Amino acid sequence: MLRAENISTGYGKKQVLFDVSLEVRQGEIVLLAGSNGSGKSTLLKAIYGMLPQWNNGQIIFDGENITGKPTAALLKKGLLYIPQKNNLFEDLTVKENLEMAGITLDKNTLKQRTEQALTVFTSLTPHLHRTPMKLSGGERQLLTLAMASLHQPKMILIDEIVNGLAPQNISLVDENLKELNNNNGTTLLIVEHRVKESLRIASRVIGLKLGKIFPLDELTGSIDINALNPLFI
């Protein structure tokens, strides 16, 4: 589904990523884990064309080279990126946020997809006429996911969606991410600093440390969480 090959990039003259390569298969939920400053968010931005590729790195999505393509073109191809902050229109209601997210869709399609989204993100239904500031942290993040789902993306890149949430809200978001993956078939690459709470929904973990991939075994039911903590928590 997604293949990043030899990605090196950074900000100005500061290099953050060093020859990073990874692959995410269709239908997976992959956790990109690492400590602060390891380059996780930078890698998502590089994949989504928000940072230039140094040394001829390439991004292959759904069999096509998308390196350097504008974000609007990536959205049309089914690849969507959710940054960590500033995802909502704070002065609009939940319903109006959904309408704004689907502004490029025709009226009937928007109505149909909004109804579909609310069958997945059911906890939003009682709050359609509230503004985001009156939602819990978890509900705000579910609204972000619901807005993204209107475009029916094949894959979503998500940057620290449970950061700062209370435990009950982390569980709520994780359950809805799993449902989005199961019901819609959406492939997910999720950046997280703290991995313990997200391990239960992930197919695999890819570790990133000091801008380089840190190999980890594929997850099993007997994985030792404590062995990961010194690296990622």
Side-chain angles (χ1 to χ4, degrees):
M1 171 65 71
L2 175 74
R3 191 167 74 252
E5 300 177 346
N6 308 116
I7 303 303
S8 296
T9 192
Y11 305 92
K13 295 182 179 180
K14 179 178 175 57
Q15 187 168 357
V16 177
L17 298 178
F18 300 84
D19 201 30
V20 171
S21 297
L22 61 82
E23 183 172 4
V24 180
R25 298 183 289 268
Q26 184 172 354
E28 285 191 307
I29 300 178
V30 174
L31 190 63
L32 183 61
S35 60
N36 287 335
S38 61
K40 305 183 304 297
S41 296
T42 299
L43 181 54
L44 290 195
K45 292 175 183 176
I47 290 172
Y48 213 61
M50 300 171 68
L51 289 172
Q53 300 294 339
W54 299 359
N55 304 329
N56 300 314
Q58 293 189 9
I59 307 296
I60 310 298
F61 176 68
D62 210 17
E64 181 179 348
N65 190 335
I66 61 169
T67 310
K69 290 189 179 296
T71 56
L74 300 184
L75 182 58
K76 288 182 179 179
K77 293 182 183 300
L79 182 62
L80 192 148
Y81 166 59
I82 299 178
Q84 186 177 353
K85 297 179 180 179
N86 302 320
N87 299 317
L88 303 175
F89 301 98
E90 297 290 348
D91 57 339
L92 301 181
T93 65
V94 169
K95 183 176 183 293
E96 290 167 339
N97 267 271
L98 291 167
E99 290 170 350
M100 287 297 296
I103 197 169
T104 60
L105 304 173
D106 65 73
K107 185 176 180 179
N108 290 334
T109 300
L110 175 59
K111 182 176 183 296
Q112 181 183 32
R113 292 188 183 179
T114 299
E115 290 173 353
Q116 290 173 349
L118 293 175
T119 64
V120 176
F121 304 100
T122 55
S123 61
L124 292 177
T125 302
H127 308 304
L128 288 177
H129 300 292
R130 293 185 178 182
T131 57
M133 67 181 64
K134 295 183 179 179
L135 302 178
S136 70
E139 288 164 347
R140 289 173 61 90
Q141 297 296 47
L142 294 188
L143 175 55
T144 299
L145 290 173
M147 292 164 66
S149 74
L150 297 180
H151 298 279
Q152 297 187 342
K154 299 175 183 177
M155 181 173 184
I156 307 178
L157 313 174
I158 306 176
D159 195 355
E160 298 208 42
I161 196 165
V162 299
N163 184 46
L165 297 186
Q168 65 270 24
N169 283 327
I170 292 176
S171 296
L172 179 65
V173 171
D174 282 349
E175 288 168 6
N176 280 266
L177 285 171
K178 189 68 175 178
E179 191 166 354
L180 184 64
N181 175 256
N182 287 336
N183 291 355
N184 294 19
T186 308
T187 303
L188 303 173
L189 176 60
I190 305 172
V191 156
E192 263 310 319
H193 169 59
R194 300 182 65 89
V195 302
K196 184 175 180 180
E197 295 87 348
S198 300
L199 280 172
R200 63 191 182 93
I201 69 165
S203 309
R204 289 187 295 128
V205 174
I206 296 175
L208 198 62
K209 186 177 182 181
L210 299 177
K212 297 180 180 180
I213 292 295
F214 184 89
L216 292 169
D217 292 334
E218 191 156 321
L219 289 180
T220 66
S222 60
I223 190 167
D224 183 2
I225 302 295
N226 293 321
L228 295 177
N229 286 350
L231 286 173
F232 303 131
I233 298 182

